[in-house]
PDB file of all heavy atoms in Angstrom:
ATOM      1  N   THR C  98     -53.636  38.794 201.954  1.00  0.00           N
ATOM      2  CA  THR C  98     -52.452  38.534 202.736  1.00  0.00           C
ATOM      3  C   THR C  98     -52.369  37.141 203.374  1.00  0.00           C
ATOM      4  O   THR C  98     -51.321  36.470 203.129  1.00  0.00           O
ATOM      5  CB  THR C  98     -52.369  39.623 203.862  1.00  0.00           C
ATOM      6  OG1 THR C  98     -52.367  40.876 203.265  1.00  0.00           O
ATOM      7  CG2 THR C  98     -51.187  39.453 204.747  1.00  0.00           C
ATOM      8  N   PRO C  99     -53.402  36.647 204.022  1.00  0.00           N
ATOM      9  CA  PRO C  99     -53.155  35.314 204.613  1.00  0.00           C
ATOM     10  C   PRO C  99     -52.940  34.180 203.536  1.00  0.00           C
ATOM     11  O   PRO C  99     -52.318  33.223 203.781  1.00  0.00           O
ATOM     12  CB  PRO C  99     -54.529  35.053 205.419  1.00  0.00           C
ATOM     13  CG  PRO C  99     -55.469  36.143 205.032  1.00  0.00           C
ATOM     14  CD  PRO C  99     -54.647  37.307 204.424  1.00  0.00           C
ATOM     15  N   ILE C 100     -53.604  34.312 202.414  1.00  0.00           N
ATOM     16  CA  ILE C 100     -53.442  33.415 201.321  1.00  0.00           C
ATOM     17  C   ILE C 100     -51.923  33.509 200.766  1.00  0.00           C
ATOM     18  O   ILE C 100     -51.260  32.533 200.661  1.00  0.00           O
ATOM     19  CB  ILE C 100     -54.352  33.685 200.090  1.00  0.00           C
ATOM     20  CG1 ILE C 100     -55.859  33.424 200.626  1.00  0.00           C
ATOM     21  CG2 ILE C 100     -54.034  32.921 198.900  1.00  0.00           C
ATOM     22  CD1 ILE C 100     -56.866  33.944 199.792  1.00  0.00           C
ATOM     23  N   LEU C 101     -51.451  34.686 200.683  1.00  0.00           N
ATOM     24  CA  LEU C 101     -50.037  34.824 200.242  1.00  0.00           C
ATOM     25  C   LEU C 101     -49.089  34.320 201.249  1.00  0.00           C
ATOM     26  O   LEU C 101     -48.050  33.671 201.023  1.00  0.00           O
ATOM     27  CB  LEU C 101     -49.732  36.344 199.950  1.00  0.00           C
ATOM     28  CG  LEU C 101     -50.538  36.831 198.802  1.00  0.00           C
ATOM     29  CD1 LEU C 101     -50.317  38.447 198.616  1.00  0.00           C
ATOM     30  CD2 LEU C 101     -50.327  36.172 197.505  1.00  0.00           C
ATOM     31  N   GLU C 102     -49.356  34.519 202.505  1.00  0.00           N
ATOM     32  CA  GLU C 102     -48.426  34.032 203.550  1.00  0.00           C
ATOM     33  C   GLU C 102     -48.403  32.499 203.575  1.00  0.00           C
ATOM     34  O   GLU C 102     -47.415  31.815 203.776  1.00  0.00           O
ATOM     35  CB  GLU C 102     -48.910  34.476 204.918  1.00  0.00           C
ATOM     36  CG  GLU C 102     -48.653  36.023 205.087  1.00  0.00           C
ATOM     37  CD  GLU C 102     -48.954  36.587 206.414  1.00  0.00           C
ATOM     38  OE1 GLU C 102     -49.592  35.841 207.213  1.00  0.00           O
ATOM     39  OE2 GLU C 102     -48.717  37.771 206.638  1.00  0.00           O
ATOM     40  N   ASP C 103     -49.572  31.789 203.356  1.00  0.00           N
ATOM     41  CA  ASP C 103     -49.621  30.405 203.265  1.00  0.00           C
ATOM     42  C   ASP C 103     -48.968  29.921 201.999  1.00  0.00           C
ATOM     43  O   ASP C 103     -48.463  28.781 201.821  1.00  0.00           O
ATOM     44  CB  ASP C 103     -51.022  29.851 203.135  1.00  0.00           C
ATOM     45  CG  ASP C 103     -51.587  29.680 204.551  1.00  0.00           C
ATOM     46  OD1 ASP C 103     -50.945  30.079 205.641  1.00  0.00           O
ATOM     47  OD2 ASP C 103     -52.712  29.320 204.738  1.00  0.00           O
ATOM     48  N   ALA C 104     -48.941  30.719 200.886  1.00  0.00           N
ATOM     49  CA  ALA C 104     -48.437  30.293 199.621  1.00  0.00           C
ATOM     50  C   ALA C 104     -47.005  29.851 199.639  1.00  0.00           C
ATOM     51  O   ALA C 104     -46.564  29.140 198.804  1.00  0.00           O
ATOM     52  CB  ALA C 104     -48.658  31.343 198.534  1.00  0.00           C
ATOM     53  N   GLY C 105     -46.228  30.307 200.675  1.00  0.00           N
ATOM     54  CA  GLY C 105     -44.863  29.918 200.739  1.00  0.00           C
ATOM     55  C   GLY C 105     -44.620  28.536 201.391  1.00  0.00           C
ATOM     56  O   GLY C 105     -43.506  28.035 201.486  1.00  0.00           O
ATOM     57  N   HIS C 106     -45.673  27.865 201.772  1.00  0.00           N
ATOM     58  CA  HIS C 106     -45.572  26.618 202.461  1.00  0.00           C
ATOM     59  C   HIS C 106     -46.516  25.502 201.953  1.00  0.00           C
ATOM     60  O   HIS C 106     -47.578  25.374 202.402  1.00  0.00           O
ATOM     61  CB  HIS C 106     -45.931  26.761 203.990  1.00  0.00           C
ATOM     62  CG  HIS C 106     -45.424  27.978 204.580  1.00  0.00           C
ATOM     63  ND1 HIS C 106     -44.044  28.196 204.887  1.00  0.00           N
ATOM     64  CD2 HIS C 106     -46.001  29.127 204.932  1.00  0.00           C
ATOM     65  CE1 HIS C 106     -43.875  29.426 205.482  1.00  0.00           C
ATOM     66  NE2 HIS C 106     -45.194  30.014 205.517  1.00  0.00           N
ATOM     67  N   PRO C 107     -46.113  24.819 200.996  1.00  0.00           N
ATOM     68  CA  PRO C 107     -44.847  24.809 200.260  1.00  0.00           C
ATOM     69  C   PRO C 107     -44.924  25.993 199.264  1.00  0.00           C
ATOM     70  O   PRO C 107     -45.925  26.561 198.846  1.00  0.00           O
ATOM     71  CB  PRO C 107     -44.835  23.468 199.443  1.00  0.00           C
ATOM     72  CG  PRO C 107     -46.201  23.207 199.207  1.00  0.00           C
ATOM     73  CD  PRO C 107     -46.964  23.781 200.384  1.00  0.00           C
ATOM     74  N   PRO C 108     -43.672  26.439 198.765  1.00  0.00           N
ATOM     75  CA  PRO C 108     -43.628  27.554 197.839  1.00  0.00           C
ATOM     76  C   PRO C 108     -44.428  27.223 196.549  1.00  0.00           C
ATOM     77  O   PRO C 108     -44.237  26.169 195.940  1.00  0.00           O
ATOM     78  CB  PRO C 108     -42.105  27.745 197.569  1.00  0.00           C
ATOM     79  CG  PRO C 108     -41.433  26.555 198.093  1.00  0.00           C
ATOM     80  CD  PRO C 108     -42.323  25.883 199.063  1.00  0.00           C
ATOM     81  N   GLY C 109     -45.226  28.107 196.142  1.00  0.00           N
ATOM     82  CA  GLY C 109     -46.010  27.990 194.896  1.00  0.00           C
ATOM     83  C   GLY C 109     -45.806  29.192 194.038  1.00  0.00           C
ATOM     84  O   GLY C 109     -45.409  30.238 194.523  1.00  0.00           O
ATOM     85  N   PRO C 110     -46.136  29.165 192.711  1.00  0.00           N
ATOM     86  CA  PRO C 110     -46.043  30.313 191.885  1.00  0.00           C
ATOM     87  C   PRO C 110     -47.059  31.336 192.281  1.00  0.00           C
ATOM     88  O   PRO C 110     -48.115  31.016 192.527  1.00  0.00           O
ATOM     89  CB  PRO C 110     -46.368  29.711 190.549  1.00  0.00           C
ATOM     90  CG  PRO C 110     -47.117  28.479 190.732  1.00  0.00           C
ATOM     91  CD  PRO C 110     -46.726  27.929 192.099  1.00  0.00           C
ATOM     92  N   VAL C 111     -46.577  32.568 192.414  1.00  0.00           N
ATOM     93  CA  VAL C 111     -47.453  33.719 192.764  1.00  0.00           C
ATOM     94  C   VAL C 111     -47.066  34.853 191.793  1.00  0.00           C
ATOM     95  O   VAL C 111     -45.885  35.153 191.559  1.00  0.00           O
ATOM     96  CB  VAL C 111     -47.142  34.157 194.109  1.00  0.00           C
ATOM     97  CG1 VAL C 111     -47.961  35.348 194.633  1.00  0.00           C
ATOM     98  CG2 VAL C 111     -47.359  33.060 195.102  1.00  0.00           C
ATOM     99  N   GLU C 112     -48.135  35.492 191.199  1.00  0.00           N
ATOM    100  CA  GLU C 112     -48.029  36.503 190.268  1.00  0.00           C
ATOM    101  C   GLU C 112     -49.051  37.569 190.474  1.00  0.00           C
ATOM    102  O   GLU C 112     -50.218  37.192 190.823  1.00  0.00           O
ATOM    103  CB  GLU C 112     -48.159  35.960 188.786  1.00  0.00           C
ATOM    104  CG  GLU C 112     -47.178  34.822 188.378  1.00  0.00           C
ATOM    105  CD  GLU C 112     -47.495  34.529 186.882  1.00  0.00           C
ATOM    106  OE1 GLU C 112     -48.649  33.853 186.802  1.00  0.00           O
ATOM    107  OE2 GLU C 112     -46.747  34.718 186.045  1.00  0.00           O
ATOM    108  N   PHE C 113     -48.727  38.795 190.158  1.00  0.00           N
ATOM    109  CA  PHE C 113     -49.657  39.899 190.331  1.00  0.00           C
ATOM    110  C   PHE C 113     -49.679  40.762 189.058  1.00  0.00           C
ATOM    111  O   PHE C 113     -48.661  41.056 188.560  1.00  0.00           O
ATOM    112  CB  PHE C 113     -49.269  40.708 191.583  1.00  0.00           C
ATOM    113  CG  PHE C 113     -49.196  39.992 192.747  1.00  0.00           C
ATOM    114  CD1 PHE C 113     -47.898  39.635 193.260  1.00  0.00           C
ATOM    115  CD2 PHE C 113     -50.221  39.549 193.531  1.00  0.00           C
ATOM    116  CE1 PHE C 113     -47.765  38.865 194.434  1.00  0.00           C
ATOM    117  CE2 PHE C 113     -50.153  38.911 194.661  1.00  0.00           C
ATOM    118  CZ  PHE C 113     -48.810  38.474 195.148  1.00  0.00           C
ATOM    119  N   PHE C 114     -50.800  41.256 188.741  1.00  0.00           N
ATOM    120  CA  PHE C 114     -51.009  42.041 187.562  1.00  0.00           C
ATOM    121  C   PHE C 114     -51.830  43.267 187.844  1.00  0.00           C
ATOM    122  O   PHE C 114     -53.032  43.082 188.333  1.00  0.00           O
ATOM    123  CB  PHE C 114     -51.526  41.286 186.335  1.00  0.00           C
ATOM    124  CG  PHE C 114     -50.622  40.254 185.895  1.00  0.00           C
ATOM    125  CD1 PHE C 114     -50.527  38.905 186.545  1.00  0.00           C
ATOM    126  CD2 PHE C 114     -49.774  40.432 184.787  1.00  0.00           C
ATOM    127  CE1 PHE C 114     -49.680  37.992 186.140  1.00  0.00           C
ATOM    128  CE2 PHE C 114     -48.830  39.377 184.345  1.00  0.00           C
ATOM    129  CZ  PHE C 114     -48.726  38.225 185.071  1.00  0.00           C
ATOM    130  N   ASN C 115     -51.292  44.412 187.610  1.00  0.00           N
ATOM    131  CA  ASN C 115     -52.070  45.704 187.689  1.00  0.00           C
ATOM    132  C   ASN C 115     -53.101  45.748 186.555  1.00  0.00           C
ATOM    133  O   ASN C 115     -52.573  45.831 185.358  1.00  0.00           O
ATOM    134  CB  ASN C 115     -51.103  46.931 187.730  1.00  0.00           C
ATOM    135  CG  ASN C 115     -51.906  48.146 187.842  1.00  0.00           C
ATOM    136  OD1 ASN C 115     -53.007  48.286 188.230  1.00  0.00           O
ATOM    137  ND2 ASN C 115     -51.137  49.282 187.527  1.00  0.00           N
ATOM    138  N   LEU C 116     -54.421  45.783 186.725  1.00  0.00           N
ATOM    139  CA  LEU C 116     -55.308  45.731 185.738  1.00  0.00           C
ATOM    140  C   LEU C 116     -55.330  47.223 185.020  1.00  0.00           C
ATOM    141  O   LEU C 116     -56.159  48.009 185.442  1.00  0.00           O
ATOM    142  CB  LEU C 116     -56.682  45.357 186.196  1.00  0.00           C
ATOM    143  CG  LEU C 116     -56.691  43.949 186.800  1.00  0.00           C
ATOM    144  CD1 LEU C 116     -57.938  43.628 187.647  1.00  0.00           C
ATOM    145  CD2 LEU C 116     -56.487  42.885 185.746  1.00  0.00           C
ATOM    146  N   ASP C 117     -54.643  47.377 183.941  1.00  0.00           N
ATOM    147  CA  ASP C 117     -54.564  48.697 183.405  1.00  0.00           C
ATOM    148  C   ASP C 117     -54.923  48.616 181.845  1.00  0.00           C
ATOM    149  O   ASP C 117     -54.585  49.390 181.004  1.00  0.00           O
ATOM    150  CB  ASP C 117     -53.190  49.159 183.511  1.00  0.00           C
ATOM    151  CG  ASP C 117     -52.099  48.201 183.015  1.00  0.00           C
ATOM    152  OD1 ASP C 117     -52.436  47.211 182.342  1.00  0.00           O
ATOM    153  OD2 ASP C 117     -50.910  48.518 183.262  1.00  0.00           O
ATOM    154  N   LYS C 118     -55.804  47.565 181.458  1.00  0.00           N
ATOM    155  CA  LYS C 118     -56.281  47.407 180.080  1.00  0.00           C
ATOM    156  C   LYS C 118     -57.717  47.565 179.994  1.00  0.00           C
ATOM    157  O   LYS C 118     -58.542  46.659 180.139  1.00  0.00           O
ATOM    158  CB  LYS C 118     -55.926  46.079 179.595  1.00  0.00           C
ATOM    159  CG  LYS C 118     -54.330  45.726 179.667  1.00  0.00           C
ATOM    160  CD  LYS C 118     -53.482  46.444 178.675  1.00  0.00           C
ATOM    161  CE  LYS C 118     -52.155  45.871 178.477  1.00  0.00           C
ATOM    162  NZ  LYS C 118     -51.312  46.083 179.628  1.00  0.00           N
ATOM    163  N   PRO C 119     -58.219  48.890 179.836  1.00  0.00           N
ATOM    164  CA  PRO C 119     -59.635  49.152 179.847  1.00  0.00           C
ATOM    165  C   PRO C 119     -60.510  48.388 178.773  1.00  0.00           C
ATOM    166  O   PRO C 119     -61.671  48.394 178.851  1.00  0.00           O
ATOM    167  CB  PRO C 119     -59.628  50.723 179.567  1.00  0.00           C
ATOM    168  CG  PRO C 119     -58.305  51.155 179.879  1.00  0.00           C
ATOM    169  CD  PRO C 119     -57.380  50.031 179.564  1.00  0.00           C
ATOM    170  N   GLU C 120     -59.818  47.831 177.741  1.00  0.00           N
ATOM    171  CA  GLU C 120     -60.620  47.104 176.770  1.00  0.00           C
ATOM    172  C   GLU C 120     -61.325  45.894 177.432  1.00  0.00           C
ATOM    173  O   GLU C 120     -62.167  45.212 176.810  1.00  0.00           O
ATOM    174  CB  GLU C 120     -59.754  46.686 175.600  1.00  0.00           C
ATOM    175  CG  GLU C 120     -58.508  45.837 175.898  1.00  0.00           C
ATOM    176  CD  GLU C 120     -57.224  46.680 176.117  1.00  0.00           C
ATOM    177  OE1 GLU C 120     -57.286  47.663 176.732  1.00  0.00           O
ATOM    178  OE2 GLU C 120     -56.201  46.171 175.751  1.00  0.00           O
ATOM    179  N   PHE C 121     -60.832  45.390 178.576  1.00  0.00           N
ATOM    180  CA  PHE C 121     -61.460  44.358 179.192  1.00  0.00           C
ATOM    181  C   PHE C 121     -62.474  44.830 180.356  1.00  0.00           C
ATOM    182  O   PHE C 121     -62.923  43.891 181.126  1.00  0.00           O
ATOM    183  CB  PHE C 121     -60.414  43.427 179.829  1.00  0.00           C
ATOM    184  CG  PHE C 121     -59.504  42.746 178.854  1.00  0.00           C
ATOM    185  CD1 PHE C 121     -58.256  43.204 178.609  1.00  0.00           C
ATOM    186  CD2 PHE C 121     -60.024  41.773 177.981  1.00  0.00           C
ATOM    187  CE1 PHE C 121     -57.371  42.631 177.651  1.00  0.00           C
ATOM    188  CE2 PHE C 121     -59.160  41.161 177.108  1.00  0.00           C
ATOM    189  CZ  PHE C 121     -57.886  41.648 176.839  1.00  0.00           C
TER     190      PHE C 121
END
Side-chain angles (χ1 to χ4, degrees):
Chain C
T98 303
I100 294 170
L101 296 175
E102 291 182 352
D103 275 3
H106 320 286
V111 178
E112 302 178 291
F113 307 98
F114 293 82
N115 180 17
L116 298 168
D117 53 9
K118 302 288 194 294
E120 60 266 36
F121 295 105

